[in-house]
Amino acid sequence: MNDWNTWAERELSGLRAINRYRELIAFDGDGPIGTVRGQRVLSFASNDYLGLACHPQVKLAAISAIERFGTGATASRLIVGTRSLHGELESQLAQWNLSERALVFSSGYLANLGVLTALGEQDVTLFSDELNHASIIDGCRLAKARTLIYRHLDLQHLRELLSQTSGRKIVVSESVFSMDGDTAPLPALAELCCDHGALLVLDEAHAALGPKLAPTPGLQVLHVGTLSKTLGALGGFVAGSSRLIELLINRARNFIFTTGLSPADTAAALAAARICQSQEGDQLRARLRSLIDMLRPGHASAIVPIILGEDAAALAASAQLRAAGIHVPAIRPPTVPKGTARLRVALSASHTEAMLDSLRGALARLDSIPSHQLEHA
Ligand code: PMP
């Protein structure tokens, strides 16, 4: 007889044996300081790049939205789940992304899935950077289109693949890569898409400090973003031409067949977006920039990877940091390619210089970090 629990235990043992087992660990706190299993820790793990998840105005906006609209949207947006707040947020996001219209999804993951499945029809070819996020990989897998993978940031390779392909084309890339913190050369990528008549789908989930795509005549582009990182809430969005957004409303199954974004998340993201576009937003970005420069001068983003290679080495380094009261997650395959397990340090404007000093001290005391990885850390 097949016993599913026995099977699951065997699978889990297999994961433990190769250092791929994952578990949920509760972090209790508001901002970078909290407790894990009763121990006080300083976290460098969250994607709350500007510290807006704990901003008083953002919290208040969420609370007020609950008072006015209740806790849930109660139905799909196309049934009775649309609230005035959704329209306000979508207008703000469209304007911010210099686009005609925007549409919010329940997460950034679903935004990528929605775009790629709704537009990736059978006669389309998708061109995807090899280090794109799992939500892009899954969107490509679910789409009826064929997918060609190009080497990470290798535009020459992309050009060759585009030249060899006829029919409708979509190029999909992150602007800031989630596990390496490096950036795509946006002007060259945009030019290449124009040359080949390809639609560019640009995932800007981690672009707290840019780079921003300059308006490019002739370029067809959809911006994918998340409300869950810089905007401190939960949800995702797509911004682009009115026609394409209208089509997503009619075709993206993970928009149509799911409940609308909650009023609290919508209001929090709207309040956070307004802060991002204000003088305070400029100050928070300048602060984040100076913290990044303390750890790795000139590095392009708030994501600072320290690559250790073997999974066990990354786990050991993360555990050693935890024992010192610092939480930096170990990132292992399949999130990153085999043999490139790493510590992923994520910085936030809510960190202080003293917190950065503590991190640097703890990293310097680690047993297993190759010296070249620490040169700037
Ligand atoms: N795109 C990228 C590049 C991401 O890193 C992530 C989340 N880590 C997502 C999309 C998904 O966003 P969300 O967490 O809002 O689902």
Side-chain angles (χ1 to χ4, degrees):
M1 191 182 79
N2 284 330
D3 174 23
W4 285 96
N5 286 322
T6 307
W7 171 80
E9 185 43 44
R10 217 174 30 241
E11 293 292 308
L12 290 167
S13 300
L15 289 173
R16 283 190 202 95
I18 59 166
N19 291 309
R20 295 275 166 85
Y21 180 76
R22 293 162 192 240
E23 62 181 331
L24 299 171
I25 298 172
F27 175 84
D28 286 326
D30 178 3
I33 295 179
T35 55
V36 170
R37 294 179 176 144
Q39 182 200 1
R40 186 178 181 278
V41 296
L42 171 56
S43 169
F44 291 91
S46 96
N47 299 311
D48 184 18
Y49 298 122
L50 298 185
L52 296 179
C54 303
H55 191 292
Q57 262 167 264
V58 177
K59 287 180 172 177
L60 192 62
I63 293 164
S64 308
I66 289 176
E67 296 289 358
R68 174 154 177 219
F69 296 105
T71 50
T74 71
S76 158
R77 289 280 300 280
L78 287 164
I79 303 299
V80 74
T82 295
R83 303 284 174 278
S84 52
L85 272 174
H86 291 125
E88 277 180 69
L89 175 60
E90 286 167 348
S91 299
Q92 185 85 12
L93 292 169
Q95 175 241 324
W96 196 10
N97 284 280
L98 307 177
S99 301
E100 288 174 0
R101 196 168 171 189
L103 182 69
V104 293
F105 285 74
S106 304
S107 72
Y109 182 98
L110 289 173
N112 272 326
L113 243 56
V115 169
L116 296 169
T117 55
L119 306 186
E121 294 191 314
Q122 213 132 25
D123 63 326
V124 172
T125 307
L126 296 164
F127 299 81
S128 178
D129 186 291
E130 67 178 329
L131 291 192
N132 275 338
H133 184 256
S135 55
I136 297 175
I137 296 171
D138 293 355
C140 291
R141 284 178 181 160
L142 267 180
K144 295 204 170 67
R146 152 175 97 123
T147 301
L148 298 178
I149 310 289
Y150 61 93
R151 288 188 291 274
H152 181 49
L153 297 179
D154 186 342
L155 296 199
Q156 186 50 38
H157 189 206
L158 174 59
R159 185 189 307 278
E160 281 163 26
L161 294 176
L162 284 165
S163 308
Q164 292 159 9
T165 309
S166 55
R168 295 192 298 151
K169 304 169 197 184
I170 298 175
V171 172
V172 54
S173 175
E174 297 177 34
S175 62
V176 174
F177 284 81
S178 60
M179 294 298 140
D180 291 81
D182 54 351
T183 55
L186 297 188
L189 192 60
E191 198 184 309
L192 201 49
C193 289
C194 286
D195 288 350
H196 292 270
L199 172 71
L200 175 61
V201 173
L202 192 62
D203 180 334
E204 300 175 292
H206 297 277
L209 298 178
K212 259 307 189 204
L213 185 65
T216 310
L219 178 69
Q220 302 188 70
V221 59
L222 284 174
H223 300 267
V224 176
T226 173
L227 311 178
S228 328
K229 303 184 195 300
T230 305
L231 298 181
L234 179 67
F237 70 89
V238 181
S241 73
S242 296
R243 278 287 171 275
L244 284 179
I245 297 297
E246 216 178 317
L247 188 72
L248 290 181
I249 293 171
N250 284 274
R251 283 268 171 84
R253 292 171 62 83
N254 51 21
F255 174 80
I256 299 169
F257 297 107
T258 196
T259 299
L261 201 63
S262 80
D265 283 308
T266 313
L270 178 59
R274 286 182 173 142
I275 293 170
C276 282
Q277 291 185 277
S278 71
Q279 213 176 1
E280 186 181 354
D282 291 337
Q283 287 159 359
L284 289 170
R285 280 183 289 272
R287 179 163 175 71
L288 177 58
R289 181 67 259 165
S290 75
L291 292 168
I292 297 165
D293 288 336
M294 269 183 78
L295 191 64
R296 195 167 281 183
H299 183 66
S301 73
I303 300 161
V304 182
I306 298 170
I307 298 181
L308 297 172
E310 291 310 312
D311 299 358
L315 285 173
S318 179
Q320 207 183 330
L321 287 174
R322 174 86 58 72
I326 294 199
H327 180 43
V328 178
I331 307 290
R332 292 162 285 164
T335 312
V336 292
K338 203 162 178 277
T340 71
R342 65 197 66 185
L343 294 173
R344 176 186 187 268
V345 177
L347 297 176
S348 163
S350 60
H351 288 125
T352 64
E353 281 80 2
M355 290 175 183
L356 262 277
D357 283 340
S358 303
L359 171 67
R360 278 152 49 116
L363 287 173
R365 286 191 294 278
L366 283 180
D367 305 326
S368 56
I369 294 207
S371 57
H372 69 275
Q373 285 288 339
L374 275 177
E375 261 159 37
H376 300 296

